[in-house]
Amino acid sequence: MENPVIIFGAGGLGKAALEIFSANNVLVFGFLDDNEKLHNTEIQDITILGSTDDDSFLKYIGKKCEAFVAEEDPTARKQIVEMLVERRKVMPVNAIHRTAIISESAIVTHGIFANAGVIIGNHAKIGSHCIIHSRATIEHGAILEDYVQVGAGSIIGAGVTLQAKAFIGTGATLVAGVKIGKNAKVGPGSVVVTDVPAGATFFGNPAKKID
């Protein structure tokens, strides 16, 4: 991309996004974060300029700068995205690590974070504002709806569907064809062999409902 990026969120995900953009030769203009204690401090020489709703910096987005939302909580992430769409008429850009492997037939939309070693197979569909951590594998034909998060090293089997805001913990395995409902959670290291209902939390091998 030609324009520099403003990163919304200066936590761990924001730092990872900074490294991705820097490695891709994309200039980061600065961070915006609602923790006032961080304002005017720096991360790798990039300043945390102000709050996420600061108009003095928001005015550049869509004109001189792009935006990326680095907020792990899906509700907070969605609020920032909706603010950007409403006030600046823009969608966040993607932060995709240069070592990620994405099939040419895969569909990748807006605001995606895909860290080092991520694999996205053929005809997979990645909805907007998903977070896919390091070395996670999304097999062919899998569908991730909006605001899904997939933990590092997880394997999302062929034809799996992750509905909106589903959370998959680190190192989990989802066998081919299962469906994970909206707002459902799968614990770290779990092996999911059956569908997970919306809002439920599953854990273990094989994974079972725990709430």
Side-chain angles (χ1 to χ4, degrees):
M1 67 189 73
E2 295 182 0
N3 290 334
V5 177
I6 293 176
I7 298 175
F8 286 70
L13 192 65
K15 294 173 184 176
L18 171 61
E19 290 194 0
I20 289 174
F21 287 124
S22 297
N24 292 340
N25 295 315
V26 175
L27 178 66
V28 173
F29 181 81
F31 290 91
L32 296 178
D33 194 283
D34 291 331
N35 183 350
E36 293 184 0
K37 293 181 179 179
L38 298 178
H39 294 175
N40 298 313
T41 64
E42 293 184 346
I43 300 173
Q44 297 179 19
D45 298 325
I46 305 299
T47 303
I48 302 170
L49 302 166
S51 299
T52 58
D53 61 352
D54 190 330
D55 277 324
S56 63
F57 299 107
L58 288 178
K59 66 183 181 182
Y60 295 116
I61 294 173
K63 294 182 177 179
K64 298 180 179 180
C65 292
E66 307 291 346
F68 178 76
V69 180
E71 173 59 63
E72 293 206 43
D73 178 75
T75 299
R77 191 157 74 252
K78 186 175 182 181
Q79 289 174 344
I80 295 173
V81 169
E82 290 177 345
M83 180 270 292
L84 289 169
V85 171
E86 179 181 349
R87 293 169 61 174
R88 302 306 308 156
K89 313 301 181 190
V90 298
M91 288 289 280
V93 297
N94 295 326
I96 297 177
H97 198 280
R98 59 183 178 179
T99 64
I101 300 173
I102 301 176
S103 169
E104 291 183 1
S105 64
I107 297 173
V108 176
T109 52
H110 303 282
I112 307 300
F113 175 87
N115 213 345
V118 165
I119 298 174
I120 299 176
N122 62 295
H123 296 95
K125 297 179 180 179
I126 311 300
S128 296
H129 319 299
C130 290
I131 296 173
I132 308 174
H133 289 288
S134 300
R135 303 194 183 283
T137 297
I138 313 299
E139 291 285 5
H140 63 88
I143 298 172
L144 278 60
E145 296 184 358
D146 296 346
Y147 298 99
V148 163
Q149 183 167 173
V150 178
S154 292
I155 299 173
I156 309 303
V160 167
T161 297
L162 305 181
Q163 292 191 322
K165 296 185 181 181
F167 176 90
I168 309 301
T170 299
T173 299
L174 279 58
V175 303
V178 299
K179 180 178 179 180
I180 310 300
K182 184 177 180 180
N183 293 310
K185 295 179 175 63
V186 172
S190 297
V191 178
V192 179
V193 298
T194 61
D195 292 350
V196 175
T201 299
F202 272 51
F203 183 78
N205 181 9
K208 297 180 180 179
K209 187 176 181 180
I210 63 171
D211 60 349

